Amino acid sequence: MSDQEGKDMKGRPRGLLSSWRFLVALLVAVVVYAYGWRETEINIHTLITGAPDIVHIVTQIVQPDLLARDKEYQAAYAEFQLPCAATPPSQPARSESEPYLVLSHTCGSTGEPLSVEGFNFRPNTRGTLRWTPPVGTQRSLQHIDSDENGHFVLAVSVPAVEESEQVQEIEAELRWNVGIPYPSETLRVVLDKMVETVFLALMATTFAIFIAVPLSFLGARNLMGGHRGTVILYFAVRGFFNIVRSIEPLIWAIIFAVWVSIGPFAGVLALGMHSIAALGKLYSEQVESIDPGPIEAIRATGANALQTVIYAVVPQIVPPYLAFTIYRWDINVRMSTVIGMVGGGGIGFLLIQWVNLLRYKQAGVAVWAITVVVWVMDYVSGVVREKIV
Amino acid sequence: MLEIQNLTKVYDGGTVALKNVSFTVEDGEFLVVIGLSGSGKSTLLRCINRLIEPTEGHIIWDGVDVTQLSGEELRKVRRKIGMIFQQFNLVRRSSVLTNVLSGRLGYVNPWRSAMGRFPRKDVDKALSCLERVGILNQAYKRADELSGGQQQRVGIARALMQDPRLILADEPVASLDPATSHSILRYVEQLNKEDGATVLCSLHFLSLARAYATRMIALKDGEVVFQGLPTEIDDNRFKEIYGEDAIQVEIR
């Protein structure tokens, strides 16, 4: 809006709000955003009411399954008959040193209260009371906490299991950790896959460099402007870069997972493909922005075309090429963590599996590993780029 | 002897940079080309070593028509023509020594040089060229760490490496301060007097031109408007070349 239009007949400036163009724009904006709100099903209410649902996921993710310890067990058994028959099972034998259970009665019916008392167990230890019917599956009845004398009393009710002439088994098992913590199986698997992930990014970036560098010269207007043929080649290369670059690595991963079957090789190809185009475009723009002065000077010495490229072009493009390459490798490490979700190998495959199995403690390990690796790569590439550019 | 015959250059956009330019340069001359910006000085110098392709006309150097050459023959002529640029045109990220050595590219084995290797005698020659222009101690620095005057001396050393019989100097001092300008032009004068190289040098300032030229030509809108001795340019001639509003600025 010019100054003229912003003033009324008396020459006083009018407020922004009284301009009809502004009001129309405002109205259009309101309609667009209202429609967008509806279309994307934005619902602030669920954002608040749904929050408790993620608490247990988050608490498990922040307590990842990093370390494990060896466990020792102690168990004692008792027999119970459901329903009562002519001769109910006898109470377990009492011992001076071994743990044993004492039941309030050894036969009865479903739902009846039953008291289970334990003696000579390991003091101050946790465990579980389980019920094993002769037919069907075992079930856990209650947690056990032994006191300082290794004694506990539990009040349970006879569970609704199938009645049988055979005896039902009651088991009290206590567990405790021994020895020093060591890396969990999860951590070992994650580290193994993380190495695969980092190498996946390395291989993809390296392959991309070898193809993108020669292509970048063909995609530089200042080098390819000479003849009709070279101009056609220039447009072909640029078109290839733009099309390939506009297809996300995840889509490439799906294509290559079918092509070379699921695994890290598919991931290397997917990231490599995208990187060729992305690097190629950045490289060729760098070639286009070099200083023509040195080229002129080197040509004037009687140098041939190869010498001109090596002495006048290469020294100008090596540092920016390195910077772009490190940046790309950085992106590829980040991308390789998710490419596994669609079959491209690396840590993403584990992560999506654990999430689908609701094993969030394991998923947490993968999430933390990704965070650490990406952070370290970010930092390292930042330092390296600063050094060379 | 260098003969420019009816040289015309029309750029793709239709701009006529040179119109039917003809003159002769005898061996050993220090010919200064003057004229306003855009008068065609740079185009003229670049046509002589074919960095720019002339549209019409001929350039005869020692009986060879440079405009008819191509490939290997053109490179053999170019390596005998040293060129010095207004913006120095050094490879900024390469070392001073590498920049000087690149003046030898027309002589050495292309494959060896592609690997960055130069014969020992060329490296020695490069160091002595740097010594000659007084910056031997800067040999291993990056070119862009040097001051403007020092960079232009690297440019001169690079031209020296070519054992040039002709020097094309395109506004060699236009980016430098007056004191440095004189020291640079003295090196060019040395090339002319001691090494016997013919010099074609374009300059902005008439006072500098008068100090160094053995002969001068003036370009205006792509045409030669004056040829003669520096002393022949009086106030009227000056206004002819530079326009009515121009005032002479002295550089001493």
Side-chain angles (χ1 to χ4, degrees):
Chain A
M1 198 195 316
S2 75
D3 278 354
Q4 287 298 308
E5 287 165 317
K7 292 175 181 174
D8 64 13
M9 298 303 281
K10 288 171 191 161
R12 283 190 313 238
R14 279 187 290 158
L16 191 62
L17 283 172
S18 55
S19 151
W20 66 270
R21 274 185 239 190
F22 176 79
L23 289 176
V24 168
L26 190 68
L27 195 68
V28 168
V30 166
V31 168
V32 166
Y33 283 102
Y35 187 75
W37 189 277
R38 238 191 53 172
E39 197 68 0
T40 54
E41 297 171 20
I42 288 173
N43 187 341
I44 301 292
H45 182 65
T46 58
L47 192 61
I48 294 153
T49 57
D53 295 350
I54 63 152
V55 168
H56 93 280
I57 298 180
V58 172
T59 49
Q60 291 198 61
I61 286 176
V62 297
Q63 302 174 331
D65 174 22
L66 288 177
L67 299 174
R69 293 180 75 181
D70 282 327
K71 291 194 186 306
E72 278 189 5
Y73 305 89
Q74 187 181 48
Y77 303 90
E79 290 174 347
F80 190 86
Q81 197 165 41
L82 182 70
C84 279
T87 47
S90 54
Q91 290 280 0
R94 301 187 176 215
S95 158
E96 282 300 312
S97 53
E98 294 297 306
Y100 64 91
L101 295 178
V102 176
L103 304 182
S104 53
H105 45 285
T106 57
C107 77
S109 53
T110 299
E112 214 174 56
L114 172 69
S115 160
V116 181
E117 198 171 356
F119 297 94
N120 288 345
F121 278 86
R122 188 174 184 270
N124 301 318
T125 309
R126 300 194 144 200
T128 316
L129 186 71
R130 299 196 190 89
W131 188 287
T132 316
V135 187
T137 53
Q138 188 186 57
R139 55 183 69 189
S140 298
L141 290 186
Q142 212 168 328
H143 281 294
I144 304 171
D145 279 304
S146 66
D147 64 15
E148 61 268 28
N149 300 317
H151 172 253
F152 58 83
V153 183
L154 300 170
V156 295
S157 57
V158 178
V161 294
E162 200 168 321
E163 300 188 345
S164 170
E165 287 179 9
Q166 288 171 282
V167 292
Q168 316 266 339
E169 190 183 72
I170 297 169
E171 178 199 22
E173 187 192 64
L174 301 191
R175 290 180 306 268
W176 62 95
N177 296 323
V178 290
I180 49 160
Y182 55 88
S184 69
E185 183 61 26
T186 313
L187 184 60
R188 270 177 284 164
V189 174
V190 164
L191 289 181
D192 187 46
K193 280 286 166 186
M194 210 63 228
V195 171
E196 182 182 303
T197 306
V198 172
F199 276 98
L200 198 161
L202 176 73
M203 298 314 278
T205 314
T206 311
F207 285 142
I209 294 168
F210 280 107
I211 299 170
V213 167
L215 282 184
S216 68
F217 292 101
L218 302 179
R221 187 184 280 272
N222 53 345
L223 300 185
M224 301 296 286
H227 310 282
R228 176 175 302 225
T230 57
V231 172
I232 291 170
L233 194 56
Y234 160 82
F235 278 109
V237 169
R238 272 305 175 94
F240 168 77
F241 286 163
N242 285 330
I243 292 167
V244 172
R245 212 167 54 95
S246 65
I247 301 171
E248 279 296 311
L250 281 178
I251 310 288
W252 283 115
I254 292 167
I255 293 169
F256 284 116
V258 174
W259 191 336
V260 301
S261 87
I262 286 174
F265 184 44
V268 168
L269 291 173
L271 287 182
M273 199 71 187
H274 190 77
S275 300
I276 288 170
L279 281 178
K281 190 173 154 68
L282 288 173
Y283 287 169
S284 41
E285 277 165 8
Q286 199 56 45
V287 175
E288 283 175 359
S289 69
I290 59 175
D291 176 7
I295 297 175
E296 186 181 54
I298 298 294
R299 280 177 67 208
T301 66
N304 67 20
L306 177 71
Q307 289 172 322
T308 307
V309 168
I310 287 174
Y311 281 86
V313 180
V314 170
Q316 293 195 60
I317 59 175
V318 163
Y321 269 36
L322 274 176
F324 286 138
T325 308
I326 290 167
Y327 181 53
R328 194 69 222 172
W329 143 260
D330 191 51
I331 292 174
N332 280 347
V333 169
R334 259 177 289 152
M335 278 310 300
S336 62
T337 60
V338 293
I339 207 125
M341 294 182 184
V342 293
I347 190 116
F349 180 65
L350 281 181
L351 179 60
I352 197 80
Q353 242 184 357
W354 281 327
V355 168
N356 287 341
L357 294 171
L358 310 182
R359 290 170 63 182
Y360 295 114
K361 271 187 190 266
Q362 277 76 15
V365 179
V367 168
W368 286 111
I370 291 169
T371 311
V372 169
V373 168
V374 169
W375 184 82
V376 169
M377 279 308 305
D378 240 31
Y379 178 76
V380 170
S381 73
V383 170
V384 174
R385 252 181 299 163
E386 213 166 273
K387 283 270 189 294
I388 59 167
V389 181
Chain B
M1 191 172 76
L2 178 70
E3 282 180 82
I4 312 294
Q5 299 174 348
N6 309 106
L7 197 67
T8 298
K9 173 65 188 175
V10 184
Y11 283 108
D12 284 344
T15 313
V16 182
L18 295 174
K19 275 184 230 165
N20 205 22
V21 170
S22 299
F23 62 93
T24 306
V25 191
E26 297 294 336
D27 286 347
E29 277 194 281
F30 194 123
L31 180 80
V32 168
V33 185
I34 58 167
L36 286 170
S37 300
S39 60
K41 305 190 293 293
S42 291
T43 305
L44 171 64
L45 293 180
R46 280 170 174 74
C47 281
I48 292 169
N49 63 359
R50 298 266 306 279
L51 287 179
I52 291 175
E53 286 300 323
T55 313
E56 272 173 49
H58 298 278
I59 293 154
I60 317 287
W61 191 38
D62 291 343
V64 177
D65 188 346
V66 178
T67 54
Q68 301 303 311
L69 301 179
S70 65
E72 193 62 29
E73 290 172 324
L74 175 61
R75 288 201 292 276
K76 287 228 162 90
V77 167
R78 273 183 182 161
R79 72 183 190 184
K80 283 294 192 191
I81 305 177
M83 192 155 190
I84 302 167
F85 301 86
Q86 175 177 356
Q87 298 298 338
F88 326 132
N89 287 1
L90 302 181
V91 181
R92 301 169 56 82
R93 289 179 190 276
S94 297
S95 72
V96 166
L97 185 61
T98 305
N99 269 288
V100 176
L101 278 169
S102 68
R104 209 64 198 157
L105 285 173
Y107 291 92
V108 297
N109 179 329
W111 296 108
R112 273 178 63 90
S113 71
M115 305 301 292
R117 300 195 56 81
F118 283 88
R120 185 70 234 173
K121 66 174 173 45
D122 284 344
V123 178
D124 291 342
K125 187 182 170 71
L127 292 171
S128 72
C129 287
L130 281 172
E131 192 168 14
R132 199 172 153 186
V133 295
I135 49 169
L136 180 59
N137 54 343
Q138 316 278 358
Y140 297 99
K141 282 193 179 168
R142 258 172 62 151
D144 58 3
E145 290 174 31
L146 271 54
S147 69
Q150 288 175 325
Q151 288 192 36
Q152 191 59 295
R153 291 198 242 173
V154 176
I156 291 169
R158 178 172 65 192
L160 265 170
M161 285 297 280
Q162 293 177 239
D163 293 323
R165 296 202 34 247
L166 175 64
I167 294 278
L168 303 173
D170 181 24
E171 307 270 13
V173 296
S175 308
L176 302 173
D177 61 71
T180 318
S181 297
H182 273 295
S183 87
I184 291 298
L185 284 172
R186 265 182 227 117
Y187 283 117
V188 178
E189 194 174 38
Q190 262 185 32
L191 273 168
N192 175 246
K193 292 203 168 132
E194 294 172 16
D195 301 53
T198 309
V199 172
L200 252 82
C201 177
S202 64
L203 289 173
H204 267 305
F205 289 106
L206 199 55
S207 55
L208 283 176
R210 282 189 181 126
Y212 295 96
T214 57
R215 205 159 61 86
M216 290 172 67
I217 67 170
L219 288 179
K220 190 182 182 187
D221 299 330
E223 287 178 287
V224 178
V225 291
F226 170 82
Q227 288 199 50
L229 297 174
T231 46
E232 291 175 46
I233 297 187
D234 54 19
D235 277 357
N236 286 335
R237 287 250 193 242
F238 179 80
K239 287 204 190 313
E240 236 173 77
I241 299 163
Y242 287 98
E244 286 298 322
D245 300 332
I247 298 166
Q248 277 203 49
V249 180
E250 291 273 314
I251 286 194
R252 292 182 189 279

